[in-house]
């Protein structure tokens, strides 16, 4: 299931701009005026096709060199810069997207460069999101695939036409090899023809390469960002320095939903370097000439009184108890086939299992931050922007200006994992409210500390799953009943009307209600619970919990039926050749079969997310009563593999990210107060815990699908199943309590 | 306040209590050294003081008076170990978001300067203080071994 269908985004943006409340965390709702202006700005931009030559941003970008179209810039020295409309938060899209253009252009990889495109939804919208520029749902390569192939092919066509004219030869006689044009005795570089090519009409139709002729796609080209990220040159938002800039830190309420009543800033203002202290909708901002002074100034704030009348005061165990209670009652049906209850009544063996999932922080390595500055007719924002159009709309609403007066410079982002893409554009909105509070006197750099990040909400919601499933005497699934309880980050926002169908938020049940397994008697119910805790998608969204419940349960049923987990799944996938092929490759590569031996275990999971299928086998050993994760073997079908090494990196990283969640990650509340504050309480995976990861990619002729997220969902269930294999103990809830483990 | 920074004499005006991290980033303007946690839990801020890795968020400006500080901007030019480590990082495409990598590289150079043939356990011990939320650990380990092989 897609996280959010394209149509949702179109309507959602309209809702967003219309000034509906975007959830509990939003400080200021964008105005009705913002909506009308926003629609004017984005109207008619649903289809770009090859009409790439319009738009202000294009004109501005073209000043830096001739551009045959909005995505390709060719300099006199023949370097080719691809304008990247997506955020690169580590997933390597700059490299992947540049490769697509280079392929059709027949460029040499060494001449390729990448630059982040300006915020301009007319030119740079995500085709999976409608008229919104943004990155998410592992769509970057998938939505750009055809667009950039065409952009590369169009640029090639124009270079060839320019050369044909100059040389007086037919265009059909010109070849391009590794960035050199040639015909007979003529030969020339891209740079020589860039100027002339850019003046030619953009072709209305282009022929794309036959994939069998690909020379760059499918090879391990080096990343474009390795050099700058290894010598300190790569610029993140945290590195932006503007003349007269003030660094701001914000004192937010201790409890979600609380608001500021009063405070005393006398001592804070005396801290050397502190320039101003202002109240804003989300708390108290301390502005200083450097970060250290701002942090010290914040510590010196005194007598802060919050109004907690509407705050979340409960503890997480209390919430979980309520979730469990709800799961004993019928919920809203998310899927129903056959008759699960009847099937189960005839089962030979029935298993009842509970799965608990905590709140999770994203904790991107670069603490959230952004710079905002007043310009002649608007504002400029520098940030690792993941939802450019939404950030423009929200900022325009706060500043009382038009969407197109908000300029965004997208920079390298030090991670996101979903955190930077949020409907209320929370930290950008905070920065704008601070700039407004000081009347735009100085550029403002809002910096979150790690404590702000861990305590700041927008967590992956807590979830509870209860599954009752059974097998027949002949080893088939007799029935499957699943109750899912959790908070929705869609309900209560403008997204609700478009994503919640028949009372079911698709992001809460994806990966369970739409399972690929052929289960005849099947029912999934959802209970959506409210809370003041702001929540958000977290790398792989609903699959972060549904994969654990489904894949552990399938393993339990296989064991109950006395069947091999691979063979058991194969039978359930008989109508899903793509999934079966991944499972087959995985079983081969992992040499699936005999039990690994005393004190050893191996477990399996297979899961589809973001149109990509990933199978994972995890090997563990029991060492001195402790579980050690030895090796992870993954098989992946993500369509045509643009860059197998970047794909491998995403799976390796996804495994590490998933392991962190399986072993450690957890945000808990005590009477509404977040109990963790930094990397001592919210524990990241470290080097010594990282297993060997092996990645096998299925050859494919299909268009590329997602890769940033699909490595995550299978990790916890494969590990859980491996621990069962090694020890006979079922660990279902996350994070696994390994200290309770007895060998 | 005077110290040597990447081989050149430097003098800055800053409160002696200011963490070196913020002095480098906000006063000197060298932003390659990163802020990740502020409390010695992540290693993103790692620099070398007189050749040894330290967490600059826990080192004050006064602590480095008269000493020699090397940051990510200067480490490749600081000697063969720095050069080998940066080269290995590029060869194996270690980086993802890249934000932790300044600190990772500084810690790896520190390790290889002391121990030219580190085992996996040595790498765990030296690198466990450096968090990578993108989990590039497998490649960091491989790059350290690769740099060690090239230095042998
Ligand atoms: S910022 Fe210094 S160790 Fe994290
Ligand atoms: S590369 Fe992103 S945190 Fe290490």
């Amino acid at each position: 299931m897609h996280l959010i269908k394209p149509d949702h985004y179109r309507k959602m943006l309209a809702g967003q701009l219309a000034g509906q409340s975007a959830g509990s965390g939003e400080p200021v709702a964008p105005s009705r005026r913002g909506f009308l202006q926003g629609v004017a700005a984005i109207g008619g931009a649903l289809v770009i096709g090859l009409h790439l030559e319009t738009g202000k941003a294009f004109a501005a970008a073209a000043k830096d060199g001739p551009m045959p179209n909005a995505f390709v810039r060719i300099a006199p020295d023949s370097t080719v810069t691809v304008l990247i409309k997506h955020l690169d938060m580590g997933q390597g899209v700059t490299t992947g997207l540049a490769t697509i253009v280079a392929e059709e252009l027949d460029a040499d990889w060494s001449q390729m460069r990448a630059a982040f495109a300006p915020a301009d939804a007319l030119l740079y919208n995500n085709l999976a999101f409608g008229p919104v520029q943004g990155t998410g749902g592992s769509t970057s390569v998938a939505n750009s695939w055809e667009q950039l192939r065409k952009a590369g092919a169009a640029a090639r066509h124009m270079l060839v036409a320019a050369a044909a004219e100059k040389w007086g030869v037919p265009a059909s006689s010109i070849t391009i090899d590794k960035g050199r044009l040639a015909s007979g005795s003529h030969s020339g570089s891209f740079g020589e023809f860039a100027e002339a090519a850019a003046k030619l009409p953009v072709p209305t139709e282009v022929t794309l390469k036959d994939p069998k002729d690909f020379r760059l796609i499918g090879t391990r080209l080096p990343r474009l960002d390795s050099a700058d990220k290894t010598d300190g040159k790569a610029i993140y938002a945290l590195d932006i320095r503007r003349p007269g800039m003030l660094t701001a830190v914000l004192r937010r309420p201790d409890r979600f939903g609380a608001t500021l009543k009063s405070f005393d800033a006398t001592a804070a203002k005396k801290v050397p370097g502190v320039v101003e202290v202002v109240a804003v909708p989300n708390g108290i901002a301390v502005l200083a000439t450097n970060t250290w002074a701002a942090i010290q100034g914040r510590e010196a704030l005194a007598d802060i009184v919050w109004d907690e009348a509407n705050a979340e005061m409960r503890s997480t165990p209390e919430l979980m108890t309520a979730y469990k209670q709800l799961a004993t009652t019928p919920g809203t049906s998310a899927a129903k086939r056959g008759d699960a209850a009847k099937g189960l009544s005839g089962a030979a063996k029935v298993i009842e299992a509970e799965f608990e999932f905590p709140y999770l922080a994203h904790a991107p390595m670069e603490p959230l931050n952004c710079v905002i500055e007043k310009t002649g007719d608007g504002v400029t924002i520098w940030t690792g922007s993941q939802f450019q159009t939404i950030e423009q709309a929200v900022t325009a609403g706060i500043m009382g200006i038009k969407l197109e007066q908000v300029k965004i410079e997208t920079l390298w982002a030090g991670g996101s994992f979903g955190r930077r893409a949020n409907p209320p554009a929370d930290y950008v909105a905070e920065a704008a409210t601070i700039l407004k509070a000081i009347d735009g006197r100085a550029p403002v750099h809002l910096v979150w500390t790690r404590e702000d990040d861990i305590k700041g909400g927008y967590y992956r919601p807590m979830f509870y799953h209860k599954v009752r499933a059974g097998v027949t005497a002949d080893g088939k699934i007799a029935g499957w009943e699943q109750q899912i309880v959790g908070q929705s980050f869609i309900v209560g926002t403008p997204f609700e009307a478009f994503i919640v169908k028949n009372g079911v938020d698709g992001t809460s049940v994806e990966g369970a209600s739409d399972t690929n397994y052929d289960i005849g008697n099947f029912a999934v119910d959802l209970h959506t619970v409210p809370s003041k805790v702001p929540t958000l998608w977290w790398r792989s969204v609903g699959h972060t919990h549904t994969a654990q419940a489904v894949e552990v349960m399938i393993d339990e049923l296989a064991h109950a039926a006395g069947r091999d987990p691979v063979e058991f799944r194969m039978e359930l996938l008989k109508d899903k050749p793509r999934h079966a092929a991944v499972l087959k490759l995985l079983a081969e590569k992992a040499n699936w079969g005999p039990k690994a031996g005393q004190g050893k275990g191996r477990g399996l999971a297979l899961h589809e997310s973001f149109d990509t299928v990933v199978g994972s086998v995890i090997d563990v050993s029991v060492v001195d009563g402790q579980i050690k994760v030895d090796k992870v073997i993954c098989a992946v079908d993500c369509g045509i593999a643009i860059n197998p090494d970047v794909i491998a990196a995403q799976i390796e990283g996804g495994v590490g990210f998933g392991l962190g969640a399986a072993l450690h990650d957890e945000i808990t509340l005590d009477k509404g107060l977040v109990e963790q504050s930094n990397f001592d309480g919210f524990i990241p995976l470290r080097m010594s815990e990282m297993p060997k990861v092996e990645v096998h990619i299925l050859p494919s002729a299909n268009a590329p699908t997602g890769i940033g997220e699909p490595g995550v969902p299978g990790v916890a269930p494969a590990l859980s199943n491996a621990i069962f294999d090694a020890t006979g103990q079922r660990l279902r809830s996350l994070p696994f309590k390994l200290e309770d483990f007895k060998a | 306040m005077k110290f040597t920074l990447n081989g050149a004499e430097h003098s800055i005006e800053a409160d002696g209590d200011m963490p070196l991290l913020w002095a480098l980033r906000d006063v000197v303007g060298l932003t390659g050294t990163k802020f990740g946690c502020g409390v010695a839990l992540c290693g993103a801020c790692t620099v070398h003081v007189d050749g040894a890795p330290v967490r600059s968020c826990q080192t004050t400006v006064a602590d480095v008076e008269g000493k020699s500080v090397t940051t990510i901007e200067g480490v490749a030019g600081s000697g063969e170990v720095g050069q080998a480590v940066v080269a290995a990082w590029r060869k194996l495409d270690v980086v993802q978001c890249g934000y932790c990598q300044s600190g990772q590289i500084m810690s790896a150079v520190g390790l290889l300067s002391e121990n030219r043939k580190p085992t996996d356990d040595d790498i765990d011990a030296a690198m466990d203080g450096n968090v990578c939320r993108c989990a590039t650990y497998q490649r960091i380990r491989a790059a350290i071994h690769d740099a060690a092989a090239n230095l042998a």
Side-chain angles (χ1 to χ4, degrees), chain A residues 143-271:
Chain A
N143 95 92
S144 302
W145 170 241
E146 251 197 56
Q147 183 177 48
L148 289 185
R149 287 183 78 192
K150 286 181 183 168
R156 185 189 195 283
H157 183 99
M158 292 155 82
L159 286 168
V160 167
E165 197 177 314
K166 170 127 184 257
W167 293 339
V169 300
S172 60
S173 75
I174 296 177
T175 58
I176 306 185
D177 185 38
K178 294 199 172 121
R180 296 284 305 174
L181 297 113
S183 172
S185 58
H186 301 288
S187 143
S189 68
F190 286 2
E192 287 169 47
F193 296 103
E195 189 87 52
K199 293 193 181 114
L200 295 173
V202 178
T204 47
E205 262 178 44
V206 288
T207 314
L208 301 180
K209 269 189 179 176
D210 185 327
K212 75 170 167 24
D213 298 328
F214 285 163
R215 285 187 278 193
L216 300 175
I217 286 173
T219 65
R220 301 191 156 230
L221 300 171
R223 285 178 75 114
L224 292 177
D225 52 353
S226 266
D228 283 358
K229 287 178 176 177
T230 49
D231 62 8
K233 280 206 195 78
I235 297 296
Y236 301 81
L238 202 73
D239 305 331
I240 292 295
R241 300 290 176 265
R242 301 290 304 163
M245 183 178 90
L246 296 176
T247 302
V249 294
L250 190 52
R251 176 72 166 87
R252 297 175 187 79
D254 297 323
R255 289 186 168 90
F256 300 110
T259 51
L260 181 63
K261 257 190 175 160
S262 59
F263 64 100
D264 178 357
T266 319
K269 285 183 178 159
K270 288 197 183 120
V271 171

Side-chain angles (χ1 to χ4, degrees), chain A residues 89-91 221-223 225-232 234-236 238-239 241 247 290-292 295 361-367 413-415 417 447-451 538-539 645 648-650 652-654 656-657 665 678-680 682 684-694, chain B residues 15 17-19 22-23 25-27 29-44 72-76 85-86 89-102 104-105 120 123-125 127-141 144:
Chain A
M89 48 202 133
Q91 80 281 40
L221 300 171
R223 285 178 75 114
D225 52 353
S226 266
D228 283 358
K229 287 178 176 177
T230 49
D231 62 8
I235 297 296
Y236 301 81
L238 202 73
D239 305 331
R241 300 290 176 265
T247 302
N290 65 73
T291 321
W292 174 236
I295 292 171
H362 305 71
M365 207 63 220
E366 178 192 11
F417 315 117
V447 175
W448 287 43
T449 61
R450 179 60 59 196
E451 289 80 5
W538 189 95
R539 195 176 184 178
D645 196 49
Q650 282 313 291
E652 291 161 18
F657 201 74
D665 296 355
N678 207 312
F679 288 134
D680 45 356
F682 191 79
L685 193 86
R686 290 178 186 269
M687 172 69 87
S688 57
E689 295 175 311
M690 183 74 191
K692 283 200 186 67
V693 182
E694 210 179 276
Chain B
D15 180 346
D17 287 342
M18 183 185 278
W22 297 118
R25 292 184 50 82
D26 293 357
V27 184
L30 273 191
T31 56
T33 303
K34 299 304 190 211
F35 164 56
C37 70
V39 290
L41 290 168
C42 80
I72 186 67
E73 286 91 347
V75 76
V85 168
V86 170
W89 246 248
R90 292 176 181 179
K91 179 177 142 196
L92 299 182
D93 273 345
V94 170
V95 305
Q96 289 188 27
C97 84
Y99 192 82
C100 72
Q101 301 293 350
S102 301
Q104 305 280 2
I105 288 171
D120 279 344
I123 292 173
D124 285 350
M127 304 299 296
D128 244 15
N130 286 82
V131 172
C132 176
R133 285 292 286 159
C134 302
T136 61
Y137 300 119
Q138 167 156 305
R139 290 179 190 226
I140 291 173
R141 186 186 302 283
I144 292 174

Side-chain angles (χ1 to χ4, degrees), chain B:
Chain B
M1 213 73 73
K2 282 191 169 57
F3 60 101
T4 306
L5 181 57
N6 294 327
E9 287 301 315
H10 228 87
S11 170
I12 59 164
E13 299 258 334
D15 180 346
D17 287 342
M18 183 185 278
L20 180 60
L21 167 68
W22 297 118
L24 288 171
R25 292 184 50 82
D26 293 357
V27 184
V28 181
L30 273 191
T31 56
T33 303
K34 299 304 190 211
F35 164 56
C37 70
V39 290
L41 290 168
C42 80
C45 66
T46 307
V47 300
H48 294 178
V49 175
D50 289 345
V54 302
R55 306 291 186 231
S56 66
C57 69
Q58 299 303 304
T59 309
T60 64
V61 171
D63 291 337
V64 298
E65 174 140 43
K67 299 201 169 143
S68 174
V69 176
T70 307
T71 66
I72 186 67
E73 286 91 347
V75 76
S78 71
E80 57 168 3
V81 178
Q83 210 175 358
V85 168
V86 170
W89 246 248
R90 292 176 181 179
K91 179 177 142 196
L92 299 182
D93 273 345
V94 170
V95 305
Q96 289 188 27
C97 84
Y99 192 82
C100 72
Q101 301 293 350
S102 301
Q104 305 280 2
I105 288 171
M106 298 310 286
S107 291
V109 173
L111 166 65
L112 286 166
S113 302
E114 288 287 303
N115 177 353
R116 287 292 172 106
K117 235 183 148 327
T119 62
D120 279 344
D121 285 347
D122 296 336
I123 292 173
D124 285 350
M127 304 299 296
D128 244 15
N130 286 82
V131 172
C132 176
R133 285 292 286 159
C134 302
T136 61
Y137 300 119
Q138 167 156 305
R139 290 179 190 226
I140 291 173
R141 186 186 302 283
I144 292 174
H145 285 309
D146 186 76
N150 284 328
L151 286 165

